[in-house]
Amino acid sequence: MKELLYTVLELERGNKKEYCYFCRSLKEAVCQIRIRNKVTDRIIQNSKACQSCKEKFENDELPKCSNCGRLERQTEFDYSVGKWICYCVRNNESQEKELPNLPHERREATFYERQINALREEKDQLTEEVETHLEALEVSEVWNKRQKQELLDKVSDLEKKIKQLEEENKQLKEQQAAQVEIKTEKKLRFLPFGRK
């Protein structure tokens, strides 16, 4: 299969209505899908697509020819045979290698289409990176909340233990003070008072 460059271009809203080439129903086209041979820079297919077919194309769900990579259009359906017949089969296109265009032979439109595709790829890549970072951020926030809650629980447990130990310490001091009082009372009973 040839190396192809697929470019989606938004259609200008004008008086003339364009219809989708991929649907059987007559849905209004919202974009143009231009397919260009990367080697020769030649346009091999220029189709219009409705919103749903555009989404199918972006999700790689529109059927393509296995020989040349063109998209299957309803306009190329052969009712006598009862199946879709690609332009490459109908016109007996050869699969020979084609010579590339020289730089001075390239068209300005090709340059812009390549830029559009490069920017779209970069946008998709950046969108994916942002989504990955957002997911990681959500995971880290959940983890941070869990860690914070665990630390708060530990602090709460430690505060309870501190109160318990302070209470025990207070009781021990009271017991110790009571024991000291009892010992001093016993010592005072045995001390001889009245001797000179």
Side-chain angles (χ1 to χ4, degrees), residues 52-187:
S52 64
C53 289
K54 177 185 174 187
E55 290 169 8
K56 285 180 186 177
F57 172 76
E58 289 169 349
N59 295 326
D60 203 26
E61 295 173 359
L62 280 180
K64 296 177 184 171
C65 175
S66 58
N67 292 336
C68 67
R70 287 182 176 96
L71 298 170
E72 292 182 11
R73 303 188 305 189
Q74 290 300 317
T75 56
E76 294 163 352
F77 190 84
D78 191 343
Y79 291 98
S80 64
V81 183
K83 65 180 185 176
W84 180 82
I85 296 178
C86 183
Y87 184 83
C88 70
V89 174
R90 187 170 290 165
N91 293 338
N92 294 322
E93 280 185 359
S94 65
Q95 293 294 326
E96 295 175 14
K97 288 190 174 185
E98 298 169 325
L99 295 174
N101 282 350
L102 298 173
H104 69 277
E105 294 175 329
R106 291 196 175 147
R107 296 186 185 111
E108 209 173 301
T110 307
F111 170 76
Y112 291 122
E113 285 177 26
R114 289 183 191 278
Q115 276 191 319
I116 289 168
N117 284 325
L119 290 172
R120 281 202 179 114
E121 286 174 11
E122 186 177 344
K123 178 190 139 208
D124 292 343
Q125 182 182 6
L126 290 173
T127 303
E128 190 176 316
E129 286 179 21
V130 166
E131 288 171 357
T132 304
H133 287 294
L134 287 175
E135 287 173 10
L137 185 62
E138 286 177 20
V139 168
S140 76
E141 285 177 359
V142 168
W143 184 82
N144 284 339
K145 285 179 183 177
R146 193 177 316 132
Q147 288 293 101
K148 184 178 178 181
Q149 188 59 44
E150 286 176 10
L151 289 173
L152 289 173
D153 291 344
K154 283 183 181 180
V155 167
S156 175
D157 289 343
L158 289 174
E159 286 175 348
K160 288 177 185 176
K161 285 183 181 179
I162 289 171
K163 285 182 182 178
Q164 183 182 358
L165 289 173
E166 285 175 347
E167 199 63 38
E168 288 176 10
N169 192 20
K170 185 177 175 184
Q171 288 175 357
L172 286 173
K173 283 183 180 180
E174 288 173 359
Q175 286 176 356
Q176 195 177 24
Q179 286 176 351
V180 169
E181 280 182 31
I182 293 173
K183 285 184 182 178
T184 53
E185 284 178 15
K186 285 182 182 178
K187 284 184 182 179

